[in-house]
Amino acid sequence: MNHPESVWIDCLKILSTKINPVSYKAWFEKTKQLSLKDSELIILTETQFVADWLAQNYASIITKTAETVTGKTLNISIAYRINEHKQFEIISLNNEPIEDKPFDENTTLNPRYNFESFVVGDFNCLAYTAAIAIAEAPGKTRYNPLYVYGGVGLGKTHLLQAIGNFIRVNKPEKVVRYISSERFTDRFVKSLMNKSTGRFKEYFRRSDVLLVDDVQFFTGKETIQNEFFHIFNALHQRGQQIVLTSDVPPSQIKGLEKRLCSRFEWGLLVDLQAPEYESRVAILRQKAESDGFEIPDDVLSYIAQNVTSNIRELEGSLIRLLAYSSIQGREISLDLAIDIIQRNIPDFQSRIKDINLNDIMNVVSQHIGISPELIRSRKRTKQIAVARQIGMYLARKFTNLSLSHIGKFFGDRDHATVVHACKVIPTKSGEVARLIEKIESSLFHLE
Ligand code: ADP
Ligand code: MG
């Protein structure tokens, strides 16, 4: 049991490790324990301003820390002097803090999502640049709101939280709020039930930077949209920064009110594409390094060649690779990577059985408009060479045949030619990349 007089001192010790040093110095350093009686803890601050700030922004963490220190839930108030005669005004910290548990993914910034760990390539460069501009000068750019959209696992949440984390570190005086639209909805419904919608609104209106993740989930919820509309306007009018993410552009969110849609389009819309080959390698390399693993280049490029959909999948493959290697005591090698990737792609094996070299040749020949004979010939015009390389690459990807077998089939080439094709084809972008995608889909009869 702690000494009652030192409860707040113990709390401060913990708080100083949880709150960034600048904020801690500004708000906590000069606070003192005024009294602790019957589970009533009163903390003294120097000014009303500090007291208000603590109540509004740190209620949750203060309450939880005091609970950790004393092992029970205390009623906590913040006091400040109103005159020299030891007269105090007291603000009670709400017993039901509006901020959530510190590790609630839906409302708390994850420090892992920062700009340093965000790999930048052609696929996300515009979104990244806009995000940095905003993080450096929130509310002061023309990008208000910034609206970032793209498919799952492409880095929307990461980028959104990186903005928040950057501002928290570099401009600690700014109130940053991050919330997913689902959590926003939950909270609003709860506040209706508790008759505390006033506090709900106040909470969001008191932000300098509001980051809302996955706004597509606002669809069809009229009251929520209405509520968000007013918060949006209030913030926007005061020049506070708003950043939104979604899987699609505003105009494609079904059931989104017109007026909200048009506001979402006021600032800058940027999309996140799937990363191209080089970026996929860079992302894998960065993840491996940050986890302290050395992974051979051929393994990284194999994963990057085969896992193309999104960054979450890339991470997933890497995690599986590391897990298998440690569970099975196998070295991290191309062999292991092939095992894992093939296990990962749904019915990959059964598809492979169906695909043979002739299928590949025919599909390539049809799509590019060059006959199989020409593809097999010694001719080296650019188009023929590309067609041949695509064929080799697909054969390597979708059959279990050896390099030399594939080389022979495509006009008696040696295995090094196939290796070369497998290296260059996945790095293509633009028209050729789209062409390859098309060929792959028709190979699997997906069209
Ligand atoms: P989304 O919100 O678009 O579904 P996330 O932001 O959750 O995607 O990203 C999925 C995973 O990929 C996260 O672990 C994230 O850290 C990682 N990630 C996304 N983009 C990048 C990037 N550019 N560089 C490094 N990691 C990234
Ligand atoms: Mg997300």
Side-chain angles (χ1 to χ4, degrees):
M1 177 69 201
N2 351 52
H3 207 267
E5 266 94 75
S6 68
V7 163
W8 184 240
I9 294 178
D10 293 343
C11 288
L12 286 176
K13 278 185 202 141
I14 297 181
L15 287 165
S16 68
T17 65
K18 289 194 173 168
I19 293 166
N20 75 63
V22 178
S23 309
Y24 180 84
K25 189 158 190 252
W27 310 115
F28 288 92
E29 204 168 70
K30 293 188 177 146
T31 58
K32 291 194 179 86
Q33 178 168 324
L34 193 62
S35 68
L36 174 59
K37 231 192 269 165
D38 308 331
S39 307
E40 290 265 353
L41 172 66
I42 304 180
I43 299 156
L44 181 64
T45 59
E46 290 204 310
T47 63
Q48 176 179 3
F49 184 71
V50 173
D52 276 340
W53 193 269
L54 286 176
Q56 270 152 22
N57 298 288
Y58 293 99
S60 169
I61 190 163
I62 291 174
T63 313
K64 292 212 168 74
T65 308
E67 207 173 299
T68 312
V69 167
T70 62
K72 55 187 178 185
T73 310
L74 302 179
N75 285 325
I76 304 176
S77 307
I78 314 276
Y80 56 93
R81 273 200 185 89
I82 46 174
N83 57 31
E84 296 91 82
H85 312 295
K86 289 214 165 179
Q87 281 189 308
F88 299 106
E89 192 75 63
I90 283 178
I91 309 169
S92 163
L93 296 189
N94 214 294
N95 296 334
E96 187 209 329
I98 193 141
E99 278 166 77
D100 256 272
K101 302 178 238 42
F103 296 109
D104 180 343
E105 288 228 321
N106 293 307
T107 52
T108 312
L109 295 177
N110 180 342
R112 215 168 55 80
Y113 291 152
N114 52 49
F115 285 127
E116 286 75 28
S117 62
F118 194 79
V119 174
V120 185
D122 287 349
F123 72 109
N124 62 7
C125 158
L126 191 56
Y128 172 80
T129 314
I132 289 277
I134 279 168
E136 285 177 348
K140 302 221 167 65
T141 65
R142 282 174 298 125
Y143 314 144
N144 204 9
L146 172 66
Y147 184 105
V148 181
Y149 66 96
V152 289
L154 295 180
K156 301 182 295 294
T157 300
H158 188 140
L159 197 61
L160 188 65
Q161 296 208 7
I163 296 174
N165 281 318
F166 184 93
I167 297 173
R168 284 218 174 138
V169 171
N170 295 290
K171 300 186 194 317
E173 74 285 1
K174 299 261 181 214
V175 178
V176 178
R177 307 237 192 258
Y178 165 84
I179 195 160
S180 69
S181 68
E182 290 149 296
R183 182 46 61 105
F184 182 91
T185 305
D186 272 9
R187 285 261 178 95
F188 182 65
V189 172
K190 261 192 205 137
S191 79
L192 283 175
M193 293 191 308
N194 304 337
K195 303 203 168 43
S196 60
T197 48
R199 278 190 67 211
F200 175 87
K201 289 177 199 175
E202 199 50 30
Y203 176 80
F204 288 104
R205 287 184 190 193
R206 272 178 196 275
S207 24
D208 297 306
V209 180
L210 179 62
L211 311 169
V212 186
D213 212 353
D214 290 324
V215 295
Q216 73 270 18
F217 295 124
F218 278 144
T219 100
K221 298 170 184 130
E222 252 172 65
T223 0
I224 306 288
Q225 289 191 23
N226 185 42
E227 204 50 54
F228 189 67
F229 178 77
H230 291 299
I231 290 169
F232 184 103
N233 285 343
L235 293 179
H236 199 272
Q237 268 163 22
R238 292 206 315 265
Q240 317 292 45
Q241 182 69 50
I242 301 162
V243 188
L244 310 164
T245 74
S246 167
D247 58 352
V248 288
S251 58
Q252 285 177 32
I253 303 183
K254 292 195 194 81
L256 183 69
E257 276 183 44
K258 266 222 174 81
R259 55 180 190 168
L260 211 48
C261 178
S262 82
R263 273 169 180 67
F264 287 180
E265 289 172 341
W266 266 353
L268 179 69
L269 301 185
V270 285
D271 68 334
L272 287 171
Q273 303 274 344
E276 52 328 324
Y277 173 77
E278 256 95 38
S279 300
R280 297 201 293 273
V281 175
I283 288 166
L284 288 168
R285 184 160 287 134
Q286 190 255 97
K287 305 268 172 211
E289 271 170 17
S290 77
D291 287 345
F293 287 95
E294 244 181 66
I295 298 187
D297 280 353
D298 60 341
V299 175
L300 293 181
S301 24
Y302 180 80
I303 300 177
Q305 275 167 21
N306 286 283
V307 181
T308 54
S309 52
N310 67 51
I311 299 167
R312 191 167 297 142
E313 295 284 326
L314 274 180
E315 278 185 352
S317 313
L318 198 59
I319 291 167
R320 266 193 306 281
L321 181 77
L322 299 174
Y324 272 91
S325 130
S326 88
I327 292 167
Q328 305 184 338
R330 280 170 71 183
E331 197 185 335
I332 297 175
S333 64
L334 188 55
D335 222 36
L336 182 64
I338 291 171
D339 269 8
I340 280 154
I341 298 290
Q342 297 196 354
R343 251 181 239 161
N344 180 29
I345 298 176
D347 51 336
F348 188 89
Q349 291 293 357
S350 66
R351 280 173 175 180
I352 283 187
K353 283 193 203 106
D354 298 344
I355 292 174
N356 60 42
L357 289 175
N358 284 319
D359 293 337
I360 293 173
M361 178 64 97
N362 291 336
V363 172
V364 171
S365 152
Q366 276 162 21
H367 273 83
I368 306 187
I370 297 176
S371 72
E373 291 70 43
L374 272 180
I375 293 178
R376 285 205 180 94
S377 71
R378 310 299 311 169
K379 288 221 168 83
R380 289 172 183 230
T381 64
K382 194 163 173 217
Q383 234 192 351
I384 297 175
V386 168
R388 194 177 295 135
Q389 286 180 332
I390 293 178
M392 291 175 172
Y393 161 76
L394 293 175
R396 185 71 184 142
K397 188 164 171 187
F398 296 119
T399 71
N400 287 327
L401 300 169
S402 68
L403 293 167
S404 53
H405 189 130
I406 295 169
K408 272 215 177 72
F409 180 84
F410 285 93
D412 227 358
R413 265 52 186 205
D414 62 8
H415 84 283
T417 314
V418 184
V419 170
H420 179 69
C422 294
K423 263 203 191 131
V424 296
I425 289 300
T427 66
K428 301 279 186 208
S429 54
E431 216 179 312
V432 180
R434 278 192 295 278
L435 180 65
I436 297 169
E437 259 170 41
K438 262 200 168 150
I439 296 177
E440 281 194 22
S441 333
S442 60
L443 200 54
F444 288 113
H445 311 291
L446 298 179
E447 298 187 311

